[in-house]
Amino acid sequence: QVQLVESGGGMVQAGGSLRLSCVVSGDTFKSYRMGWFRQAPGKEREFVAAISWSGAGTSYADSVKGRFTVSRDNAKNTVYLQMNSLKPEDTAVYYCAADRVRFGIRVEDFGSWGQGTQVTVSP
């Protein structure tokens, strides 16, 4: 069973930046495809970004493309989400997710989840 712990959330003004981290333990990190999702109050959890086990392949939601960057350090068992040019509509709880079997960017394509970290962007 893999465990995921996010950190790096907080409050920032519009136009600012934050970097989220997710440390993975309990299994071989480099075997896992990693993803970031977010959930705003009253809304469904939505895909933000994903990265392949090697880091060579990435994908992004259209809403964050060009502003967010996902990366991983397999030596540190950590995946990152660099968020620049933040907007109030980016306010949400951000979740780290992992999977070693399935493909895709739906919530159901990831079998392991962290507890989430709050990101709040003020106007």
mmCIF file of all heavy atoms in Angstrom, residues 72-107:
data_model
loop_
_atom_site.group_PDB
_atom_site.id
_atom_site.type_symbol
_atom_site.label_atom_id
_atom_site.label_comp_id
_atom_site.label_asym_id
_atom_site.label_seq_id
_atom_site.Cartn_x
_atom_site.Cartn_y
_atom_site.Cartn_z
ATOM 1 N N ARG A 72 8.866 15.312 -11.337
ATOM 2 C CA ARG A 72 9.100 14.313 -10.307
ATOM 3 C C ARG A 72 10.585 14.101 -10.114
ATOM 4 O O ARG A 72 11.374 14.265 -11.046
ATOM 5 C CB ARG A 72 8.399 13.002 -10.655
ATOM 6 C CG ARG A 72 8.930 12.277 -11.870
ATOM 7 C CD ARG A 72 8.005 11.119 -12.259
ATOM 8 N NE ARG A 72 7.983 10.074 -11.247
ATOM 9 C CZ ARG A 72 7.020 9.156 -11.147
ATOM 10 N NH1 ARG A 72 5.999 9.177 -11.992
ATOM 11 N NH2 ARG A 72 7.079 8.237 -10.212
ATOM 12 N N ASP A 73 10.948 13.711 -8.892
ATOM 13 C CA ASP A 73 12.314 13.351 -8.551
ATOM 14 C C ASP A 73 12.253 11.945 -7.978
ATOM 15 O O ASP A 73 11.881 11.760 -6.812
ATOM 16 C CB ASP A 73 12.877 14.347 -7.539
ATOM 17 C CG ASP A 73 14.343 14.094 -7.237
ATOM 18 O OD1 ASP A 73 14.820 12.961 -7.445
ATOM 19 O OD2 ASP A 73 15.022 15.033 -6.777
ATOM 20 N N ASN A 74 12.579 10.970 -8.797
ATOM 21 C CA ASN A 74 12.459 9.581 -8.355
ATOM 22 C C ASN A 74 13.450 9.230 -7.239
ATOM 23 O O ASN A 74 13.213 8.297 -6.477
ATOM 24 C CB ASN A 74 12.621 8.631 -9.539
ATOM 25 C CG ASN A 74 11.393 8.615 -10.440
ATOM 26 O OD1 ASN A 74 10.329 9.131 -10.084
ATOM 27 N ND2 ASN A 74 11.525 8.040 -11.618
ATOM 28 N N ALA A 75 14.524 9.984 -7.136
ATOM 29 C CA ALA A 75 15.484 9.743 -6.061
ATOM 30 C C ALA A 75 14.934 10.195 -4.715
ATOM 31 O O ALA A 75 15.359 9.695 -3.669
ATOM 32 C CB ALA A 75 16.795 10.459 -6.356
ATOM 33 N N LYS A 76 13.996 11.142 -4.745
ATOM 34 C CA LYS A 76 13.408 11.677 -3.510
ATOM 35 C C LYS A 76 11.973 11.194 -3.298
ATOM 36 O O LYS A 76 11.306 11.640 -2.361
ATOM 37 C CB LYS A 76 13.424 13.207 -3.531
ATOM 38 C CG LYS A 76 14.825 13.799 -3.541
ATOM 39 C CD LYS A 76 14.770 15.316 -3.492
ATOM 40 C CE LYS A 76 16.166 15.903 -3.449
ATOM 41 N NZ LYS A 76 16.149 17.390 -3.405
ATOM 42 N N ASN A 77 11.500 10.315 -4.170
ATOM 43 C CA ASN A 77 10.124 9.802 -4.060
ATOM 44 C C ASN A 77 9.106 10.932 -3.997
ATOM 45 O O ASN A 77 8.124 10.860 -3.236
ATOM 46 C CB ASN A 77 9.972 8.912 -2.816
ATOM 47 C CG ASN A 77 10.673 7.577 -2.973
ATOM 48 O OD1 ASN A 77 11.333 7.320 -3.977
ATOM 49 N ND2 ASN A 77 10.530 6.722 -1.980
ATOM 50 N N THR A 78 9.326 11.952 -4.785
ATOM 51 C CA THR A 78 8.509 13.160 -4.691
ATOM 52 C C THR A 78 8.051 13.618 -6.074
ATOM 53 O O THR A 78 8.823 13.594 -7.025
ATOM 54 C CB THR A 78 9.293 14.295 -4.007
ATOM 55 O OG1 THR A 78 9.733 13.852 -2.722
ATOM 56 C CG2 THR A 78 8.428 15.530 -3.841
ATOM 57 N N VAL A 79 6.798 14.052 -6.132
ATOM 58 C CA VAL A 79 6.258 14.699 -7.327
ATOM 59 C C VAL A 79 5.889 16.128 -6.951
ATOM 60 O O VAL A 79 5.473 16.387 -5.817
ATOM 61 C CB VAL A 79 5.048 13.928 -7.890
ATOM 62 C CG1 VAL A 79 3.904 13.851 -6.892
ATOM 63 C CG2 VAL A 79 4.591 14.506 -9.210
ATOM 64 N N TYR A 80 6.075 17.040 -7.884
ATOM 65 C CA TYR A 80 5.858 18.465 -7.638
ATOM 66 C C TYR A 80 4.818 19.025 -8.605
ATOM 67 O O TYR A 80 4.630 18.523 -9.715
ATOM 68 C CB TYR A 80 7.166 19.243 -7.830
ATOM 69 C CG TYR A 80 8.312 18.753 -6.982
ATOM 70 C CD1 TYR A 80 9.260 17.879 -7.516
ATOM 71 C CD2 TYR A 80 8.448 19.162 -5.657
ATOM 72 C CE1 TYR A 80 10.320 17.426 -6.747
ATOM 73 C CE2 TYR A 80 9.512 18.710 -4.886
ATOM 74 C CZ TYR A 80 10.441 17.844 -5.432
ATOM 75 O OH TYR A 80 11.497 17.400 -4.668
ATOM 76 N N LEU A 81 4.191 20.100 -8.170
ATOM 77 C CA LEU A 81 3.327 20.879 -9.050
ATOM 78 C C LEU A 81 3.689 22.347 -8.847
ATOM 79 O O LEU A 81 3.366 22.930 -7.811
ATOM 80 C CB LEU A 81 1.848 20.648 -8.760
ATOM 81 C CG LEU A 81 0.889 21.337 -9.736
ATOM 82 C CD1 LEU A 81 0.999 20.716 -11.134
ATOM 83 C CD2 LEU A 81 -0.554 21.264 -9.233
ATOM 84 N N GLN A 82 4.403 22.907 -9.812
ATOM 85 C CA GLN A 82 4.734 24.329 -9.782
ATOM 86 C C GLN A 82 3.576 25.100 -10.394
ATOM 87 O O GLN A 82 3.206 24.858 -11.553
ATOM 88 C CB GLN A 82 6.018 24.591 -10.565
ATOM 89 C CG GLN A 82 6.411 26.056 -10.626
ATOM 90 C CD GLN A 82 6.802 26.624 -9.282
ATOM 91 O OE1 GLN A 82 7.525 25.989 -8.516
ATOM 92 N NE2 GLN A 82 6.318 27.824 -8.968
ATOM 93 N N MET A 83 3.005 26.012 -9.627
ATOM 94 C CA MET A 83 1.841 26.771 -10.073
ATOM 95 C C MET A 83 2.204 28.246 -10.150
ATOM 96 O O MET A 83 2.518 28.861 -9.128
ATOM 97 C CB MET A 83 0.677 26.549 -9.107
ATOM 98 C CG MET A 83 0.330 25.092 -8.884
ATOM 99 S SD MET A 83 -1.137 24.848 -7.875
ATOM 100 C CE MET A 83 -0.575 25.507 -6.323
ATOM 101 N N ASN A 84 2.194 28.798 -11.338
ATOM 102 C CA ASN A 84 2.489 30.202 -11.577
ATOM 103 C C ASN A 84 1.253 30.931 -12.096
ATOM 104 O O ASN A 84 0.295 30.310 -12.550
ATOM 105 C CB ASN A 84 3.628 30.331 -12.591
ATOM 106 C CG ASN A 84 4.918 29.702 -12.117
ATOM 107 O OD1 ASN A 84 5.205 29.665 -10.911
ATOM 108 N ND2 ASN A 84 5.716 29.204 -13.046
ATOM 109 N N SER A 85 1.305 32.245 -12.033
ATOM 110 C CA SER A 85 0.197 33.080 -12.531
ATOM 111 C C SER A 85 -1.142 32.591 -11.987
ATOM 112 O O SER A 85 -2.121 32.429 -12.734
ATOM 113 C CB SER A 85 0.182 33.075 -14.061
ATOM 114 O OG SER A 85 1.412 33.536 -14.586
ATOM 115 N N LEU A 86 -1.184 32.373 -10.697
ATOM 116 C CA LEU A 86 -2.390 31.815 -10.083
ATOM 117 C C LEU A 86 -3.569 32.772 -10.197
ATOM 118 O O LEU A 86 -3.405 34.007 -10.155
ATOM 119 C CB LEU A 86 -2.118 31.469 -8.626
ATOM 120 C CG LEU A 86 -1.331 30.161 -8.431
ATOM 121 C CD1 LEU A 86 -0.691 30.098 -7.057
ATOM 122 C CD2 LEU A 86 -2.253 28.968 -8.643
ATOM 123 N N LYS A 87 -4.748 32.178 -10.326
ATOM 124 C CA LYS A 87 -5.984 32.921 -10.472
ATOM 125 C C LYS A 87 -6.939 32.525 -9.337
ATOM 126 O O LYS A 87 -6.827 31.417 -8.804
ATOM 127 C CB LYS A 87 -6.649 32.593 -11.807
ATOM 128 C CG LYS A 87 -5.777 32.822 -13.025
ATOM 129 C CD LYS A 87 -6.485 32.345 -14.293
ATOM 130 C CE LYS A 87 -5.612 32.538 -15.519
ATOM 131 N NZ LYS A 87 -6.290 32.065 -16.755
ATOM 132 N N PRO A 88 -7.888 33.388 -8.984
ATOM 133 C CA PRO A 88 -8.854 33.013 -7.937
ATOM 134 C C PRO A 88 -9.578 31.705 -8.249
ATOM 135 O O PRO A 88 -9.888 30.943 -7.319
ATOM 136 C CB PRO A 88 -9.821 34.204 -7.926
ATOM 137 C CG PRO A 88 -8.973 35.359 -8.353
ATOM 138 C CD PRO A 88 -8.043 34.791 -9.397
ATOM 139 N N GLU A 89 -9.804 31.425 -9.509
ATOM 140 C CA GLU A 89 -10.489 30.177 -9.878
ATOM 141 C C GLU A 89 -9.621 28.931 -9.685
ATOM 142 O O GLU A 89 -10.103 27.813 -9.837
ATOM 143 C CB GLU A 89 -11.004 30.230 -11.320
ATOM 144 C CG GLU A 89 -9.974 30.649 -12.339
ATOM 145 C CD GLU A 89 -10.058 32.131 -12.679
ATOM 146 O OE1 GLU A 89 -10.186 32.954 -11.735
ATOM 147 O OE2 GLU A 89 -9.981 32.460 -13.884
ATOM 148 N N ASP A 90 -8.360 29.107 -9.324
ATOM 149 C CA ASP A 90 -7.495 27.973 -8.979
ATOM 150 C C ASP A 90 -7.683 27.557 -7.517
ATOM 151 O O ASP A 90 -7.121 26.543 -7.092
ATOM 152 C CB ASP A 90 -6.021 28.316 -9.211
ATOM 153 C CG ASP A 90 -5.696 28.533 -10.675
ATOM 154 O OD1 ASP A 90 -6.185 27.769 -11.522
ATOM 155 O OD2 ASP A 90 -4.929 29.486 -10.957
ATOM 156 N N THR A 91 -8.449 28.319 -6.763
ATOM 157 C CA THR A 91 -8.701 27.997 -5.364
ATOM 158 C C THR A 91 -9.395 26.644 -5.246
ATOM 159 O O THR A 91 -10.431 26.407 -5.861
ATOM 160 C CB THR A 91 -9.567 29.082 -4.709
ATOM 161 O OG1 THR A 91 -8.834 30.309 -4.683
ATOM 162 C CG2 THR A 91 -9.957 28.692 -3.291
ATOM 163 N N ALA A 92 -8.785 25.739 -4.465
ATOM 164 C CA ALA A 92 -9.310 24.389 -4.320
ATOM 165 C C ALA A 92 -8.425 23.614 -3.354
ATOM 166 O O ALA A 92 -7.342 24.075 -2.981
ATOM 167 C CB ALA A 92 -9.335 23.667 -5.670
ATOM 168 N N VAL A 93 -8.885 22.431 -2.985
ATOM 169 C CA VAL A 93 -8.014 21.461 -2.319
ATOM 170 C C VAL A 93 -7.336 20.658 -3.424
ATOM 171 O O VAL A 93 -8.014 20.134 -4.317
ATOM 172 C CB VAL A 93 -8.805 20.536 -1.384
ATOM 173 C CG1 VAL A 93 -7.877 19.487 -0.772
ATOM 174 C CG2 VAL A 93 -9.488 21.349 -0.288
ATOM 175 N N TYR A 94 -6.017 20.577 -3.359
ATOM 176 C CA TYR A 94 -5.245 19.873 -4.365
ATOM 177 C C TYR A 94 -4.819 18.507 -3.823
ATOM 178 O O TYR A 94 -4.289 18.414 -2.713
ATOM 179 C CB TYR A 94 -4.027 20.696 -4.766
ATOM 180 C CG TYR A 94 -4.388 21.822 -5.707
ATOM 181 C CD1 TYR A 94 -5.102 22.921 -5.250
ATOM 182 C CD2 TYR A 94 -4.042 21.775 -7.057
ATOM 183 C CE1 TYR A 94 -5.459 23.954 -6.112
ATOM 184 C CE2 TYR A 94 -4.387 22.793 -7.925
ATOM 185 C CZ TYR A 94 -5.100 23.883 -7.452
ATOM 186 O OH TYR A 94 -5.456 24.899 -8.313
ATOM 187 N N TYR A 95 -5.050 17.488 -4.634
ATOM 188 C CA TYR A 95 -4.758 16.118 -4.253
ATOM 189 C C TYR A 95 -3.702 15.507 -5.161
ATOM 190 O O TYR A 95 -3.734 15.686 -6.389
ATOM 191 C CB TYR A 95 -6.015 15.250 -4.346
ATOM 192 C CG TYR A 95 -7.121 15.643 -3.405
ATOM 193 C CD1 TYR A 95 -8.091 16.562 -3.779
ATOM 194 C CD2 TYR A 95 -7.197 15.094 -2.133
ATOM 195 C CE1 TYR A 95 -9.113 16.918 -2.926
ATOM 196 C CE2 TYR A 95 -8.216 15.441 -1.264
ATOM 197 C CZ TYR A 95 -9.164 16.360 -1.667
ATOM 198 O OH TYR A 95 -10.174 16.715 -0.805
ATOM 199 N N CYS A 96 -2.819 14.752 -4.542
ATOM 200 C CA CYS A 96 -1.841 13.953 -5.254
ATOM 201 C C CYS A 96 -2.419 12.546 -5.413
ATOM 202 O O CYS A 96 -3.084 12.049 -4.494
ATOM 203 C CB CYS A 96 -0.556 13.926 -4.429
ATOM 204 S SG CYS A 96 0.760 12.914 -5.070
ATOM 205 N N ALA A 97 -2.163 11.924 -6.564
ATOM 206 C CA ALA A 97 -2.692 10.587 -6.820
ATOM 207 C C ALA A 97 -1.647 9.730 -7.516
ATOM 208 O O ALA A 97 -0.779 10.252 -8.221
ATOM 209 C CB ALA A 97 -3.956 10.669 -7.670
ATOM 210 N N ALA A 98 -1.761 8.420 -7.333
ATOM 211 C CA ALA A 98 -0.787 7.492 -7.906
ATOM 212 C C ALA A 98 -1.480 6.248 -8.429
ATOM 213 O O ALA A 98 -2.501 5.820 -7.895
ATOM 214 C CB ALA A 98 0.249 7.107 -6.850
ATOM 215 N N ASP A 99 -0.896 5.676 -9.479
ATOM 216 C CA ASP A 99 -1.383 4.394 -9.973
ATOM 217 C C ASP A 99 -0.278 3.714 -10.774
ATOM 218 O O ASP A 99 0.470 4.394 -11.477
ATOM 219 C CB ASP A 99 -2.629 4.570 -10.849
ATOM 220 C CG ASP A 99 -3.424 3.286 -10.914
ATOM 221 O OD1 ASP A 99 -3.119 2.446 -11.783
ATOM 222 O OD2 ASP A 99 -4.333 3.108 -10.079
ATOM 223 N N ARG A 100 -0.207 2.378 -10.684
ATOM 224 C CA ARG A 100 0.826 1.646 -11.412
ATOM 225 C C ARG A 100 0.256 0.695 -12.442
ATOM 226 O O ARG A 100 1.013 -0.009 -13.103
ATOM 227 C CB ARG A 100 1.714 0.878 -10.425
ATOM 228 C CG ARG A 100 0.996 -0.163 -9.616
ATOM 229 C CD ARG A 100 1.933 -0.767 -8.573
ATOM 230 N NE ARG A 100 3.098 -1.371 -9.195
ATOM 231 C CZ ARG A 100 4.097 -1.912 -8.508
ATOM 232 N NH1 ARG A 100 4.069 -1.881 -7.185
ATOM 233 N NH2 ARG A 100 5.111 -2.457 -9.117
ATOM 234 N N VAL A 101 -1.061 0.692 -12.565
ATOM 235 C CA VAL A 101 -1.683 -0.280 -13.463
ATOM 236 C C VAL A 101 -2.467 0.384 -14.587
ATOM 237 O O VAL A 101 -2.308 0.042 -15.751
ATOM 238 C CB VAL A 101 -2.617 -1.217 -12.673
ATOM 239 C CG1 VAL A 101 -3.326 -2.183 -13.616
ATOM 240 C CG2 VAL A 101 -1.841 -1.985 -11.619
ATOM 241 N N ARG A 102 -3.297 1.363 -14.210
ATOM 242 C CA ARG A 102 -4.226 1.931 -15.174
ATOM 243 C C ARG A 102 -3.633 3.106 -15.947
ATOM 244 O O ARG A 102 -2.577 3.632 -15.587
ATOM 245 C CB ARG A 102 -5.492 2.391 -14.429
ATOM 246 C CG ARG A 102 -6.352 1.245 -13.980
ATOM 247 C CD ARG A 102 -7.342 1.657 -12.920
ATOM 248 N NE ARG A 102 -6.691 1.818 -11.615
ATOM 249 C CZ ARG A 102 -7.332 1.769 -10.463
ATOM 250 N NH1 ARG A 102 -8.642 1.582 -10.454
ATOM 251 N NH2 ARG A 102 -6.698 1.947 -9.323
ATOM 252 N N PHE A 103 -4.319 3.506 -16.993
ATOM 253 C CA PHE A 103 -3.969 4.677 -17.777
ATOM 254 C C PHE A 103 -5.126 5.652 -17.720
ATOM 255 O O PHE A 103 -6.192 5.348 -17.226
ATOM 256 C CB PHE A 103 -3.677 4.288 -19.231
ATOM 257 C CG PHE A 103 -2.495 3.371 -19.382
ATOM 258 C CD1 PHE A 103 -2.657 1.999 -19.372
ATOM 259 C CD2 PHE A 103 -1.216 3.887 -19.501
ATOM 260 C CE1 PHE A 103 -1.573 1.153 -19.488
ATOM 261 C CE2 PHE A 103 -0.124 3.050 -19.628
ATOM 262 C CZ PHE A 103 -0.298 1.683 -19.616
ATOM 263 N N GLY A 104 -4.924 6.848 -18.214
ATOM 264 C CA GLY A 104 -6.013 7.811 -18.252
ATOM 265 C C GLY A 104 -5.870 8.903 -17.224
ATOM 266 O O GLY A 104 -4.983 8.861 -16.365
ATOM 267 N N ILE A 105 -6.765 9.893 -17.303
ATOM 268 C CA ILE A 105 -6.689 11.052 -16.414
ATOM 269 C C ILE A 105 -7.987 11.263 -15.655
ATOM 270 O O ILE A 105 -8.252 12.337 -15.143
ATOM 271 C CB ILE A 105 -6.315 12.326 -17.210
ATOM 272 C CG1 ILE A 105 -7.342 12.583 -18.331
ATOM 273 C CG2 ILE A 105 -4.908 12.209 -17.776
ATOM 274 C CD1 ILE A 105 -7.125 13.917 -19.046
ATOM 275 N N ARG A 106 -8.794 10.229 -15.574
ATOM 276 C CA ARG A 106 -10.010 10.330 -14.778
ATOM 277 C C ARG A 106 -9.685 10.018 -13.320
ATOM 278 O O ARG A 106 -8.686 9.378 -13.022
ATOM 279 C CB ARG A 106 -11.064 9.337 -15.294
ATOM 280 C CG ARG A 106 -11.443 9.490 -16.751
ATOM 281 C CD ARG A 106 -12.296 8.332 -17.209
ATOM 282 N NE ARG A 106 -11.611 7.061 -17.005
ATOM 283 C CZ ARG A 106 -12.183 5.881 -17.139
ATOM 284 N NH1 ARG A 106 -13.474 5.795 -17.463
ATOM 285 N NH2 ARG A 106 -11.489 4.776 -16.954
ATOM 286 N N VAL A 107 -10.544 10.459 -12.423
ATOM 287 C CA VAL A 107 -10.363 10.155 -11.015
ATOM 288 C C VAL A 107 -10.246 8.647 -10.819
ATOM 289 O O VAL A 107 -9.383 8.167 -10.065
ATOM 290 C CB VAL A 107 -11.535 10.723 -10.191
ATOM 291 C CG1 VAL A 107 -11.502 10.196 -8.762
ATOM 292 C CG2 VAL A 107 -11.499 12.250 -10.185
#
